[in-house]
Amino acid sequence: MFVWEKGVSRREFLQSCLGALGAAGFSSLVFVRCTTTPTGKKAFILISEEEETKLGESAFTEIMAQEKPSKNKRQADLLRKVGQRIAAVSHRPDHRWQFELIASEQVNAFALPGGKVAFYEGIMPFCQNEAGIACVMGHEVGHVAARHGAQRISQQLAVQGALTAVDLSVTRNSKNRNVILGALGVGATLGVLLPYSREHEYEADKLGLMYMAKAGYDPEEAVLFWERFAELSKGQPKVPEFLSTHPMSENRVREMRKNLPEAKRLYDAAPVKYGKGETG
Ligand SMILES: [Zn+2]
């Protein structure tokens, strides 16, 4: 019934199972099962896509109410164009995708279940061009398509035994608000930070590479983007937010290079090719 995923420690996994089983005994609302994600992986997921989407949408509404939209129409349009192209070739073209550019120096981007994606203006100079945007976008859309948010919410809720009192909302008086927002990876904005596991990160990297290639952006640019991002960040007074949750490592680059031939085949087969696209 349960599949132990590499990204979860054995202790965490056992706690998840026990928590979930205990909760299932008390609540008919909980349907304990292992699910196959849209990207074809078996995962421990306790919430439906509908619930996950609702959570993503309400967290997004809350965040956007606190942020100002960018006045840079050209960049915001570029972001939407790239986002739509990537979403269209992803495993979930059917989500109600939305792509917003936030007026903030923060060097960050995030995506929430259901397809709500935001970039902060500060990350745009690092992206440099459409292919750079496509690289970050592909990665973020990959997290959504692979249901990483739902997996983390499930783990966190189960570990805390919180499922005995199922409260799947992110409203201010919600008991599980911080658990859910943290699990959705929007901590940088709301004060709870929980980076995705390395396995989720690598899966999002791989999905992102394939999506950008299928959408017609040169996948070689992804490796260049990540190397450039790590290099440019060295001159910054503090580590950019996105890099602190997405640390570069030799292994990470090696994994990307390993996936490059497959991505190149998809790029060769893409009906339209944009290369690097427009400069951002
Ligand atoms: Zn990520």
Side-chain angles (χ1 to χ4, degrees), residues 152-174:
R152 265 204 331 199
I153 290 172
S154 303
Q155 284 166 14
Q156 293 298 312
L157 291 179
V159 164
Q160 304 208 359
L163 287 162
T164 45
V166 180
D167 174 12
L168 286 175
S169 97
V170 293
T171 51
R172 286 196 188 282
N173 52 9
S174 154

Side-chain angles (χ1 to χ4, degrees), residues 139-140 143 196 200-201 204 242 245-246 252:
H139 178 96
E140 291 302 320
H143 278 310
Y196 278 111
H200 282 177
E201 281 302 316
F242 196 71
T245 49
H246 294 80
R252 192 162 187 175

